[in-house]
Each structure stands twice: as structure tokens, then as C-alpha cells.
Amino acid sequence: MESEAPTMENNPKISAYYQTRLAHFGVVSTEWLAQAQSATNPLPSSSTDSDTDKDTNFSVIDEFNRWRSHPDLAEAVAAIRALAAVISSSKASTMMQLEIELKNASDTLKAWDTTSISLTAASDLFMRYVTRTSALEFEEFNSAKSRLIERADKFGEISYKARKIIAMLSQDFIFDGCTILVHGFSRVVFEVLKLAAHNKKRFRVFCTEGRPDRTGLRLSHELAKLDVPVKLVIDSAVAYTMDEVDMVIVGADGVVESGGIINMMGTYQIALVAKSMNKPVYVAAESYKFARHYLLDQKDLVPAIRPVDFGVPIPLKVDVECSARDYTPPQYLTLLFTDLGVLTPSVVSDELIQLYL
Amino acid sequence: MDPPRRAPRTVIDPVPKFRQVGFFAPPDRSQSGPIAADTSASLSPVMIPPPRHLSDNLILHARPSNSPRRGPESITVGGSNSDAPVSPAPSSSYSSRFVVGGDRGFFDGKGKDNGKVVASSFPRGGFDLTALKGNAAASGSSIVVPASQLTTVSVVNDSLGIPEKEKTNKGGGSAGEMKDQSSSKQQKPKPTKAERRALQEAQRAAKAAAKGEGNKASGTATSVNAKQAKAVKPAQKADTASVAATEKKGGDFPPEKDRKKDAPQPRLQYDDKSRVEKAKRRSVVKQTESRNRVELFRHLPQYEHGSQLPDLEAKFFDLYPVHPAVYKVGLQYISGDISGGNDRCIAMLQAFQEAIKDYKVPPEKSLGRDLTAKIGSYVSFLNECRPLSISMGNAIRFLKSQIAKLPLTLSESEAKISLDSDIERFISEKIILANKVIVKHAVTKIRDGDVLLTYGSSLAVEMIFLHAHELGKQFRVVIVDSRPKLRGQQLLRRLVEKGLNCTYTHINAVSYVMHEVSRVFLGAESILSNGTVYSRVGTASVAMVAHASRVPVIVCCEAYKFHERVQLDSICSNELGDPDVISNVKGRVDVNHLDGWADIENLQLLNLIYDAMPSDYVSMIVTDYGMVPPTSVPVIVREYGRE
């Protein structure tokens, strides 16, 4: 196996010790760069197979996939757009019927990917909106229906706008000369950094490699395009570099009721290190990611399995931890940047209670 | 209403004031007025009942003055009881000091004992407490303070020379001067601990010299002393404020022997003698105060258990002001047949349903107001039987608001039917249905292979375990139990009957067992606004050990038990149980080392009922609103209040 690695080329002063190690354990795949570039996996979790029943004339899943392929669209928004499409193509004639159809579609979507928190949260949110609306409206059915569709469309805009709002709110926290550690490729966080660069702030970014998704490589590529000084650190080097870091910014797949977040594997580790070194951890998440789950520990999470490619076949009797995400409890998080404002983790439950009660 | 109010207030020792959860600035000796105002104004968390008539105290005090016992002084803070070993170290003295005689002497000497009570309390501060103790001993020293606070103070001021030595101590400690100076003394600012000790010593000397000084004044002082004593004496248990969440102050339990040392009413700071006296006068249930009360908890009532039960039973049929159903429930509380937040609340509400059914509006009166007043009197009665729990308090508040919301156009029968259905709805929705919702949420947190720990016996937790077992989950249960109630045994029996795997242990082994536990489920009496969980004593310890072992703690509590109060420790508000159950071990007659503990001067037994667990130990709260973090309790209180 070739032991050359791009790193060696970039850094000819690599010590002999490591050169030897590379020779011995060099399992670096030569295609890592290609892999990184082509890694466009939007979901850290692989979707579970589902033979979900498709609606006879209309498939929610297809619609969902169609929307998902949009690179900029958050998964939750795609779900909402799909549900909106369900409404518009529905043949129901009363509100109750429509609600039932929507409920079925929403369940289908959830079953399609049981591990995605934001999908569940967004569908629940939309369903709640629908039921609330139908309770209030006594007008005739068609106008109610069109209002729902209009609202669903607006939701997409809201999501897009949410990112802008979050980026705006977080500008105050990025000061000149600061060093930011980023983990995982979150479009919201990217938006934050993009706006900061646009505002001519001087900062530098440490990107964790983010194995096995190698999201760090993608993000660093994007940031380099914006002329932001980027440094890639491997996941194990986080504690080593934490001294130089001023803050950690991560996104979230879901924000749970305790105020903690579910994010790519490695976030909990980074939060622990940051907390022990008194560095703030900021989470940038839209408000529709607030979910009504309450996690007590890591095992409460529905595991999202992502096959890890080590580049070599794994020996037979060896087991691999394949979970793709972890749960970070609220005591390690400093602030949440959301489109509702800059919040502390305990506000999440407050918002959820008000929303769902 | 009480002209004396002014006077007694002045006497009130600043110390007791601060014991009353934060509303009062230490009153000036000279100012009875402001003090009175303070105390009455700060009713809400502290539930200080309106000041009693000075005359009451006077009578009370006057009577005992001749007897050797301290009597009513009750709690003149420490110092006053000359007989009591007013020791410089407040800590030791309290319990032992049985007032017997010492204070009396005080009184005799002065002539007007009442006054003394008041005065003594102030200066004493710490001393008084101890002094009072001695004095209070007779009265069961239940109320450290009351004496001073009460109107008697005013009387005292006038009359006395403040028999309480305390007073004089403040002044400067000469026994002789005590009397005259008592009033003036009362006005003095509290002396420092050292000074108080000195005073105490002097008082003791004076007391010895002037036997039979009244104890009275010390009442308030004692409370004050208690506070200081607390600081001084590590031994002192923290006072538990008797701010039982209930709004009702309830009546006082006038001690049969020493009014002054009255057991405090719930809500009422029992070291405030005047108030205690007042409450006692109004009360139906005559309770006798315990002896050997712990200084730190002087502001809570403590009575000898069961002593009045036969008497009350005899009176069952001629009790006019209280409806028989309510009376029955009260007796059941006293005897301990009904205990536990939910049970007590349901029993009370059902009794009220009966009472409302039989209620007839008197002519020329409005239903709303009259019925509210009647319910108020029932609640006072129940409070006298046993201090109201937080769940009961919230239920009463609900009932009163429903009465207030009745439209005026309703006829009497319609109004009664509406109230009846409101109560029915409350019970079924907020208690029974809420428990079902809690079970539904909480079983999702139980996984196969779990080891679940619980403490004591909570209805919600029991239902959760049984339901999870029905769903087929594989888990085992560890039940932690503690004396004196040993309620875990009932839970154990019920779970084993259903086939669950159970382990049973006592609380001293909890840290040993905790390492194999995966989740802890606890019940709660109430959850306060800062996330503090108020529950049976021992729960906080279990949660602390769980937290240290990084085991998640899940608290299950219905939302109607939440309260907007904030409590930082277990002292300012609590309930005291019967200390005799500590000294007796059922089935073990050979364990009799504590027999006759009440006669031992330095020995006090403390039987706390509740404790407060800080929110850091709690991982999650399960209510009928779902699973929330402890920081969301005020949100639920707010939303709940809107309904």
C-alpha cells in the first residue's frame, strides 16, 4: 500500500518517526481527496429501508427526495415542502380528511428515516400548525387548504431566512483576531462564517477532519474559497489545539427538550474538552429543529448507523462502532443561536411547552 | 384590632424576623407598629397569622406566672429562661431547657409576665433561645419565639421588668434591672453573639436569683436566639420554616400547658408567641406541645402525637362549626391513617364535596363569600390537625377561585352542582389522569436490562413500574427505605405480588448499591419554582448519591403540585413529626436506650418529614405536561396558572 500521503508532500519536514509509522501503518487511501470532494452526503445517518406504503397516486417519498436534492435546502424544509405537495394534490373534501391524509404522509416520512430528528421535528411542527389552523378556521374548505399550502411554502422561505437571521445574530460573537473551531459541515454555520468573512472580519478557522464523513475537508475547501485562513485538524488533535481556540461553533441535527443537541459524532467530545478549558460552545440551529425528545444519556438516542470505511478490510472478529451522531448535554453548551434569538439551553423547553400546549 | 399589637411587635426579636423568610427587617425594639405591619404584610410565604390579642397572652402569661414553669414565654429567645441553663453556648442549651420553673420565677418577680415575653426575645437573640428553652421546656418549647412576638410583648413592655432575663441581659444583664428595662431593652438592637452569651450568663445568674421570672418575653427572642443559636450551635438543626405551601395558616394549636411556647402553626412562625397564642385561642383542636424541641426548628409546630385524638373523637357529634366529613378527614390526618400528598388531597376534596352538598346559604348572605369563609374555617381546622401539604394548598386555591368565578345569576343548587363537578373534574384530571400521562411518558425511559432504584413509596413510580412490567420490559427494581415510616415495604409487597424482581435495602446502603443502578425514579411532594424538589426526607440524599455516581434522576410529579415558591434549604419550611417514633423501634423492645428521652435535658429528637433537593441533582421531571428539565418548572406554573 502506498504510504505516500498528500500530507507528506505538503510537509517535507515530517519527522522520521512518523515516516516509519506511515510505512508500517500506511493505510491511507490514495483516493481520499476524491472521496472528500465527492462526499455529498447530506444525511449523516443512512436512511433505513422502508417499504412504506406509498400513496396510490402520489408518493410523499418521491416528492421528498425531489426536494432534498436541492443542495441548499435543509432536510426539514424539504419534508415540509413534500407535505405541502400532499395537501395540494389531495382529493380530500373536508378538513378532517385532509388531516388524516397529512398524518399518514407524515408518518411515512418519519418511518422512511427514523433517525432524523429534524425531519420528525419539522413534520410535527407542521402538523401542529395544521391542526391549530383547522381548529380556528371555520371558513370553507378550499380557502383553508390554500392557506395551508401558502403557509407551507412560506416555511421554506422561513428556513432560508432563518439561516440569514442566525448569521446576523452571531456576528457580534465573532471578534477580530479570534480563532473558531468548527466541527461537521453545517450549512448554518457556514452561513455564519460566510457573513463574517463578508463583513471583513479577521478570524481563522480550525476545521476538524470529521471522520468518517470527512466533512472537514469539504468545509475547508469552501472556506478557502472565501479567503478565510483555515487549518485542518484531525479529530484527535482537538484537545491539543483547544488552547489556541477562542470559541467552538457547531450546528445541530436536532435540539432536544433538555436543551442538549444531537449532532455529528465527535461533538460531545469537543464540547467536553471546551468546557474543561472554559471555551464557549455555540450552537447554530433553526427553531424548527426543536424536538420533543428528552435524552438522558447517549444510549437513549436511536442510533444512526453509518458504515465506516477504514480503507482496509476489517478483521473478522473485530466490531466497529458505527453510530454517526451523539448527544451533547446542555451543561456543556453556552448559547444557542436560533432564529428566535440568542437563547440559553433552558429556553428550548420553554419554547416547546408554549408551542405544544 | 389589637392595640397591643404595637407593643408586642416591638418586643419581637429581630432574630425571629429574619427567620421568617426574608420579609422583615429586624424590628426595632421600640417599634412594635412597624413590626406588626411587617409581620402581617409578609404573610404570603411565611404565613404569619395576624397578631393575637395581647390580652390573651396576658391571661396566659399571668396564669403561669405563679407556676414555676416558664409557661407561655415559650420562646423568648434563649436568654430569658433563667432557669434554663442559659449557657453561653446556645447550642447545647436548647433542648434541655425545660422551662420548668425557671421562667416562672421570672414572672413572679415581675408581676406582669406577659410583657417579659416580648422583651426578652429581642435582646436575646441567641441566648434567648436557650433561655427560653429552659422555660419553654414546660411548654414543650415548641415555640421559641412566639412569646416575644405576641402581643404579650406589649404587655410585657409595660409591665415588666421583663422577667425574662433576656431582656435584662440585653440591657446589660442585671437581673434586677431586667424588669424595668425589659421594655426598653426590647428596643435594643440585637447584641452580638458574645454579648448575648454574656447576657445569657447574666440571665442565668439572675434567673437563679430571681426564680420564677416569667419566661414570656423570651418568646420572640427565642426565635431570634434560635437563629443565632443555629449559627452558633452546629448541633442545632436547621429550622424548618413551617411554610407549608398551603396558604392556610390554619389555627394554632394552643398548647394545653404553655400557650407561650405554642407550637407554631404551619405557616405561622411558631416562635412568634403572640401569633401562636392567637391561633390557639381560635383553634378547635387543642394540641399539646412537645417537649425538648430543637432550637433550630422552633418556628415549626410540634405537638405530642395522638394525645388529643380520643378527645376529638368524643366531640365528633357535637361539632357544629365543622362538617362531619371534614372532621372525619381531620381525625384521619391526626391518626396518620391518610398520608401522602395525593391521598390527603383527594380525601380533603371529597370531604369538601360532601360539605358543599349539605351547605345552605344563610339568608341575606352571598353564596360566594359565605361559602368561601366556610371553606376557610374547614381548612383552618384541617391545618390544626396536621399542617397542610402543598398539594392540598393548591387544591384549596383552585376551589376558592372556582367559587369566586361563579356567576351571580346561578341559583344555589346550580352553584352547588357546578362546584361539585369542578371538584370532580379536578380530581379526575389533575390527579388520576395526570398520573396516567406520567406513566405513559416515563415508561419510554425504561429499557431492557435496566436496574431502577426508587425511594420510599410513590404512587406515580409504582404505576410506572407496573406498566413497564406489563409491557414486557425486563428490568429489576431496587427499593430504598428508611425509618421511621418504612413505607418502602408496602411498595415492595405490591411489586413482588405482580412478579417484578425486587431488591430491598435501607438508606444507609444507598451508596453501596448505587453503582449498579442505571436509573433512579423518585416521587415528589412538590416542585418549587427554582427547580427544587420538595419530598420525603431522605429523597435528597438518594438523589445526591445518584448524581455523584452519574446516574440520571427522574422525578415524577403531577403538575398541580408545582408551586411558585422558592426554597433554598430544608429548614425554613418543613414539618416536624412525632419524635417518639425515633426512640422506639417496632418489635425491638430491647432497643430502649432512648426511653425517657424527654427528661434528659441535653437531648432532643428531631423527626423531619420533608427535605428539599436542589435542582442540580435532577435530570428530568415527568409531569402531565410531558418531560421537562427542572428549569422549566416556572414555565409550567405560569401556563398552569393561566388555565
Side-chain angles (χ1 to χ4, degrees):
Chain A
M1 130 139 23
E2 307 166 284
S3 54
E4 41 116 330
T7 47
M8 286 191 75
E9 291 161 25
N10 300 344
N11 185 5
K13 293 204 257 334
I14 195 165
S15 78
Y17 171 68
Y18 284 98
Q19 283 180 347
T20 327
R21 278 176 64 92
L22 267 175
H24 287 164
F25 306 103
V27 294
V28 178
S29 155
T30 52
E31 304 160 11
W32 71 269
L33 188 55
Q35 259 189 2
Q37 300 220 331
S38 65
T40 50
N41 186 7
L43 285 174
S45 54
S46 58
S47 39
T48 56
D49 269 321
S50 69
D51 335 274
T52 50
D53 41 303
K54 316 276 196 191
D55 304 340
T56 44
N57 303 333
F58 175 77
S59 164
V60 139
I61 306 297
D62 288 345
E63 190 70 22
F64 179 54
N65 283 332
R66 190 164 67 81
W67 280 110
R68 263 183 61 220
S69 55
H70 244 267
D72 262 348
L73 217 51
E75 179 189 58
V77 182
I80 304 232
R81 288 260 167 93
L83 288 175
V86 166
I87 299 181
S88 50
S89 70
S90 144
K91 296 188 179 39
S93 53
T94 66
M95 220 41 205
M96 275 309 284
Q97 251 183 305
L98 187 59
E99 276 182 40
I100 292 173
E101 270 188 40
L102 266 180
K103 182 107 183 37
N104 288 339
S106 157
D107 289 341
T108 312
L109 273 178
K110 284 194 220 175
W112 182 77
D113 182 5
T114 52
T115 59
S116 171
I117 302 278
S118 56
L119 182 60
T120 318
S123 326
D124 281 346
L125 203 66
F126 191 66
M127 286 303 303
R128 176 126 190 101
Y129 176 74
V130 166
T131 44
R132 261 200 183 151
T133 315
S134 60
L136 302 171
E137 321 264 318
F138 300 109
E139 26 184 283
E140 54 124 10
F141 177 64
N142 281 326
S143 60
K145 191 167 153 183
S146 52
R147 183 181 301 225
L148 284 177
I149 296 175
E150 183 193 319
R151 171 74 177 173
D153 285 337
K154 259 219 269 183
F155 209 93
E157 281 176 41
I158 289 174
S159 156
Y160 185 62
K161 280 218 198 81
R163 290 201 199 138
K164 295 263 184 256
I165 295 174
I166 293 173
M168 239 175 38
L169 286 173
S170 35
Q171 291 310 299
D172 286 335
F173 291 84
I174 300 178
F175 51 88
D176 273 340
C178 71
T179 305
I180 304 177
L181 179 69
V182 181
H183 181 70
F185 188 30
S186 159
R187 284 163 290 201
V188 185
V189 175
F190 181 60
E191 192 70 34
V192 170
L193 298 175
K194 200 157 86 162
L195 188 61
H198 182 72
N199 290 342
K200 303 276 185 278
K201 295 214 179 186
R202 303 208 161 279
F203 61 98
R204 63 183 178 137
V205 177
F206 287 1
C207 265
T208 56
E209 185 194 0
R211 293 213 67 208
D213 301 328
R214 305 237 173 94
T215 53
L217 300 168
R218 266 191 298 145
L219 181 59
S220 49
H221 183 60
E222 297 291 331
L223 284 173
K225 277 199 252 173
L226 299 170
D227 285 332
V228 174
V230 185
K231 186 170 189 181
L232 263 180
V233 301
I234 54 173
D235 299 328
S236 351
V238 165
Y240 175 80
T241 53
M242 191 57 82
D243 268 340
E244 306 166 43
V245 164
D246 292 312
M247 68 182 86
V248 178
I249 303 188
V250 293
D253 285 345
V255 182
V256 294
E257 193 152 9
S258 59
I261 58 166
I262 298 176
N263 201 18
M264 189 172 123
M265 180 65 80
T267 312
Y268 184 29
Q269 216 157 278
I270 295 178
L272 275 170
V273 174
K275 171 97 177 178
S276 72
M277 296 195 182
N278 286 325
K279 309 284 180 187
V281 176
Y282 300 130
V283 176
E286 300 97 317
S287 63
Y288 58 75
K289 287 182 177 159
F290 290 5
R292 289 221 84 186
H293 295 248
Y294 199 116
L295 300 185
L296 292 174
D297 53 28
Q298 303 300 323
K299 296 204 274 318
D300 263 358
L301 199 48
V302 175
I305 307 297
R306 161 126 175 82
V308 181
D309 177 22
F310 288 105
V312 281
I314 298 179
L316 275 176
K317 286 196 258 187
V318 172
D319 205 358
V320 177
E321 172 63 56
C322 304
S323 186
R325 56 193 190 173
D326 60 21
Y327 164 65
T328 306
Q331 55 262 34
Y332 301 108
L333 304 175
T334 319
L335 287 175
L336 298 175
F337 299 152
T338 72
D339 45 317
L340 302 171
V342 178
L343 313 171
T344 61
S346 42
V347 176
V348 176
S349 177
D350 197 338
E351 291 294 325
L352 282 172
I353 289 177
Q354 292 188 348
L355 192 56
Y356 282 96
L357 281 185
Chain B
M1 63 58 154
D2 311 304
R5 185 183 321 191
R6 294 168 278 101
R9 290 290 165 245
T10 52
V11 183
I12 294 177
D13 211 322
V15 172
K17 283 307 180 248
F18 76 74
R19 205 199 314 202
Q20 294 151 354
V21 192
F23 274 73
F24 313 83
D28 206 12
R29 283 314 162 72
S30 45
Q31 301 306 10
S32 51
I35 298 169
D38 277 342
T39 49
S40 40
S42 63
L43 283 185
S44 66
V46 185
M47 292 302 209
I48 306 233
R52 287 87 134 2
H53 274 282
L54 184 55
S55 50
D56 276 352
N57 299 334
L58 284 176
I59 296 169
L60 293 172
H61 293 259
R63 252 187 283 115
S65 57
N66 300 326
S67 56
R69 323 168 53 224
R70 255 246 294 216
E73 265 169 337
S74 50
I75 321 236
T76 32
V77 185
S80 49
N81 304 322
S82 43
D83 36 297
V86 178
S87 49
S91 47
S92 50
S93 41
Y94 346 105
S95 45
S96 47
R97 285 329 120 126
F98 277 53
V99 182
V100 186
D103 297 331
R104 276 310 152 190
F106 227 98
F107 278 68
D108 294 336
K110 302 311 164 94
K112 287 211 241 152
D113 303 333
N114 305 337
K116 316 182 197 96
V117 176
V118 180
S120 43
S121 44
F122 285 118
R124 281 327 141 95
F127 296 114
D128 294 339
L129 219 31
T130 44
L132 282 174
K133 278 255 168 184
N135 298 336
S139 56
S141 46
S142 49
I143 302 178
V144 176
V145 186
S148 46
Q149 306 156 339
L150 303 179
T151 51
T152 49
V153 174
S154 55
V155 179
V156 176
N157 291 334
D158 312 334
S159 55
L160 31 159
I162 302 238
E164 286 130 349
K165 309 170 262 112
E166 310 154 31
K167 291 208 194 153
T168 45
N169 290 343
K170 299 191 220 166
S174 59
E177 302 171 311
M178 298 203 290
K179 326 246 177 121
D180 318 28
Q181 287 156 14
S182 50
S183 32
S184 52
K185 302 278 188 287
Q186 292 164 356
Q187 319 312 334
K188 271 188 208 175
K190 267 190 329 201
T192 64
K193 285 223 172 46
E195 287 172 318
R196 286 197 302 274
R197 293 225 188 104
L199 284 176
Q200 217 170 5
E201 286 294 355
Q203 284 174 357
R204 204 168 333 161
K207 190 184 210 169
K211 265 287 168 169
E213 303 278 7
N215 322 333
K216 299 200 264 186
S218 31
T220 46
T222 41
S223 52
V224 176
N225 287 337
K227 283 250 182 272
Q228 294 154 348
K230 181 172 28 172
V232 179
K233 308 174 216 188
Q236 301 307 325
K237 312 268 174 103
D239 353 77
T240 48
S242 43
V243 219
T246 59
E247 336 134 45
K248 284 308 184 162
K249 302 213 212 175
D252 261 348
F253 296 87
E256 319 254 274
K257 315 168 208 170
D258 299 82
R259 230 75 63 76
K260 289 184 213 144
K261 297 186 230 175
D262 260 336
Q265 301 162 356
R267 285 325 157 155
L268 163 64
Q269 295 297 59
Y270 281 77
D271 22 26
D272 183 349
K273 258 199 217 162
S274 54
R275 296 221 199 83
V276 173
E277 305 258 346
K278 200 163 286 195
K280 266 202 233 179
R281 256 180 304 124
R282 278 194 255 105
S283 75
V284 176
V285 180
K286 301 270 177 282
Q287 301 253 26
T288 58
E289 282 188 20
S290 312
R291 307 160 70 197
N292 268 8
R293 293 175 50 113
V294 179
E295 277 304 303
L296 205 55
F297 291 98
R298 286 296 189 98
H299 57 284
L300 296 179
Q302 182 160 24
Y303 302 108
E304 293 187 356
H305 281 235
S307 57
Q308 70 285 11
L309 198 52
D311 182 46
L312 286 176
E313 280 169 0
K315 291 209 272 181
F316 187 89
F317 291 106
D318 53 31
L319 203 54
Y320 163 63
V322 179
H323 189 275
V326 177
Y327 196 77
K328 174 175 134 194
V329 166
L331 292 189
Q332 284 175 320
Y333 285 172
I334 294 181
S335 64
D337 284 343
I338 296 186
S339 76
N342 277 342
D343 291 337
R344 287 172 67 190
C345 187
I346 292 180
M348 177 188 78
L349 285 176
Q350 287 174 339
F352 282 169
Q353 267 181 316
E354 293 273 335
I356 289 178
K357 270 204 203 87
D358 297 340
Y359 170 74
K360 296 226 177 312
V361 184
E364 305 297 331
K365 288 218 176 135
S366 91
L367 176 93
R369 267 194 281 274
D370 190 61
L371 186 56
T372 306
K374 214 160 184 56
I375 299 275
S377 73
Y378 293 161
V379 173
S380 298
F381 170 73
L382 289 178
N383 202 17
E384 289 166 20
C385 297
R386 187 175 162 190
L388 292 182
S389 68
I390 297 184
S391 54
M392 290 166 67
N394 287 347
I396 292 166
R397 201 185 307 174
F398 163 79
L399 182 59
K400 288 199 170 166
S401 73
Q402 291 301 104
I403 296 178
K405 280 196 243 169
L406 284 176
L408 296 168
T409 52
L410 280 187
S411 77
E412 179 183 328
S413 55
E414 282 173 2
K416 281 163 44 167
I417 291 173
S418 148
L419 285 177
D420 187 71
S421 71
D422 280 340
I423 295 181
E424 200 57 51
R425 193 169 48 90
F426 185 88
I427 294 179
S428 70
E429 271 180 26
K430 306 282 187 222
I431 304 182
I432 299 178
L433 198 58
N435 271 317
K436 295 209 176 99
V437 173
I438 289 176
V439 167
K440 188 176 70 117
H441 284 296
V443 287
T444 60
K445 290 297 170 204
I446 301 181
R447 307 161 300 197
D448 286 340
D450 266 346
V451 178
L452 309 175
L453 184 137
T454 184
Y455 175 77
S457 159
S458 159
L459 174 71
V461 175
E462 185 183 338
M463 286 169 68
I464 292 170
F465 288 167
L466 290 176
H467 191 239
H469 186 68
E470 280 168 29
L471 292 178
K473 304 206 181 196
Q474 303 299 317
F475 60 96
R476 64 183 182 90
V477 177
V478 177
I479 300 176
V480 177
D481 203 2
S482 77
R483 280 198 68 230
K485 296 221 167 156
L486 288 177
R487 301 188 66 213
Q489 289 180 350
Q490 305 158 13
L491 175 65
L492 176 68
R493 192 159 297 140
R494 292 195 285 263
L495 290 183
V496 169
E497 269 171 6
K498 299 285 168 105
L500 274 82
N501 279 336
C502 297
T503 306
Y504 176 83
T505 180
H506 276 218
I507 194 167
N508 41 6
V510 71
S511 53
Y512 173 77
V513 154
M514 192 57 76
H515 73 275
E516 60 189 32
V517 170
S518 60
R519 297 254 198 272
V520 174
F521 280 84
L522 298 172
E525 167 75 20
S526 164
I527 304 189
L528 309 176
S529 273
N530 59 342
T532 302
V533 177
Y534 190 73
S535 53
R536 291 272 160 196
V537 70
T539 316
S541 314
V542 172
M544 185 168 74
V545 174
H547 179 76
S549 317
R550 298 192 58 103
V551 173
V553 173
I554 303 170
V555 175
C556 310
C557 179
E558 300 90 342
Y560 85 97
K561 288 183 181 163
F562 288 9
H563 201 271
E564 73 260 5
R565 200 174 96 206
V566 170
Q567 192 170 324
L568 301 176
D569 56 36
S570 311
I571 298 172
C572 58
S573 170
N574 208 319
E575 193 184 325
L576 296 179
D578 182 12
D580 281 326
V581 297
I582 297 181
S583 54
N584 306 328
V585 181
K586 207 170 86 156
R588 293 284 306 272
V589 288
D590 52 325
V591 180
N592 59 355
H593 313 287
L594 285 177
D595 281 353
W597 63 272
D599 301 321
I600 302 172
E601 283 196 349
N602 324 355
L603 182 60
Q604 299 143 37
L605 263 57
L606 180 68
N607 184 5
L608 280 181
I609 305 279
Y610 297 116
D611 66 13
M613 171 200 318
S615 58
D616 315 330
Y617 298 157
V618 181
S619 313
M620 177 170 99
I621 299 179
V622 188
T623 76
D624 36 332
Y625 285 72
M627 300 183 275
V628 294
T631 47
S632 293
V633 171
V635 177
I636 292 183
V637 170
R638 186 181 75 215
E639 298 293 323
Y640 192 86
R642 281 214 206 112
E643 291 175 11

